[in-house]
Amino acid sequence: MERVREATESLRATNCALRQELEELRERSRRLQEDGEREDDGVPSAAYVTQLYYKISRIDWDYEVEPARIKGIHYGPDIAQPINMDSSHHSRCFISDYLWSLVPTAW
């Protein structure tokens, strides 16, 4: 009978410790999920950023070209203008300046 009581007490203590550990893990999981949601709130999706760039630049990129090639179509106010540049022949600054020069500044 004494051994049964000792085993019961041991099981109760183990059960209590496991319940406490489970609650701690649930709380930690909840905090991690909240932190992840907060991080997601501050970071715009790739689709949103792509749409924003298109609305500003009006450049429709060709993503199927080799990595060194910059290709697409700029839809300006009056005419659509093709873009086809080899980035190995121009500096990044030149390419950036050229592409931004296509964007109209009159809003």
Side-chain angles (χ1 to χ4, degrees), residues 7-37:
T8 302
E9 285 300 317
S10 174
L11 287 174
R12 284 184 183 158
T14 302
N15 187 9
C16 184
L18 287 173
R19 285 178 188 253
Q20 185 177 359
E21 185 177 350
L22 177 62
E23 286 302 315
E24 290 172 0
L25 289 171
R26 283 182 178 159
E27 179 63 24
R28 186 183 308 167
S29 174
R30 185 188 61 77
R31 282 193 309 255
L32 287 172
Q33 188 174 6
E34 286 176 359
D35 290 347
E37 288 172 358

Side-chain angles (χ1 to χ4, degrees), residues 42-54:
V43 178
S45 70
Y48 171 77
V49 171
T50 302
Q51 290 173 350
L52 181 62
Y53 283 148
Y54 178 76

Side-chain angles (χ1 to χ4, degrees), residues 3-106:
R3 285 195 332 206
V4 172
R5 277 191 210 138
E6 289 174 4
T8 302
E9 285 300 317
S10 174
L11 287 174
R12 284 184 183 158
T14 302
N15 187 9
C16 184
L18 287 173
R19 285 178 188 253
Q20 185 177 359
E21 185 177 350
L22 177 62
E23 286 302 315
E24 290 172 0
L25 289 171
R26 283 182 178 159
E27 179 63 24
R28 186 183 308 167
S29 174
R30 185 188 61 77
R31 282 193 309 255
L32 287 172
Q33 188 174 6
E34 286 176 359
D35 290 347
E37 288 172 358
R38 272 190 241 126
E39 288 176 9
D40 291 345
D41 291 344
V43 178
S45 70
Y48 171 77
V49 171
T50 302
Q51 290 173 350
L52 181 62
Y53 283 148
Y54 178 76
K55 286 183 182 249
I56 292 171
S57 69
R58 304 283 297 167
I59 297 174
D60 198 6
W61 298 106
D62 181 356
Y63 295 104
E64 297 181 7
V65 295
E66 61 272 6
R69 176 105 4 233
I70 299 171
K71 189 174 181 181
I73 299 174
H74 172 259
Y75 295 97
D78 300 325
I79 190 168
Q81 178 179 356
I83 301 167
N84 193 353
M85 300 172 63
D86 186 351
S87 64
S88 63
H89 290 87
H90 304 285
S91 71
R92 296 175 119 195
C93 184
F94 172 82
I95 294 169
S96 177
D97 288 346
Y98 172 73
L99 293 174
W100 278 115
S101 74
L102 299 174
V103 177
T105 56

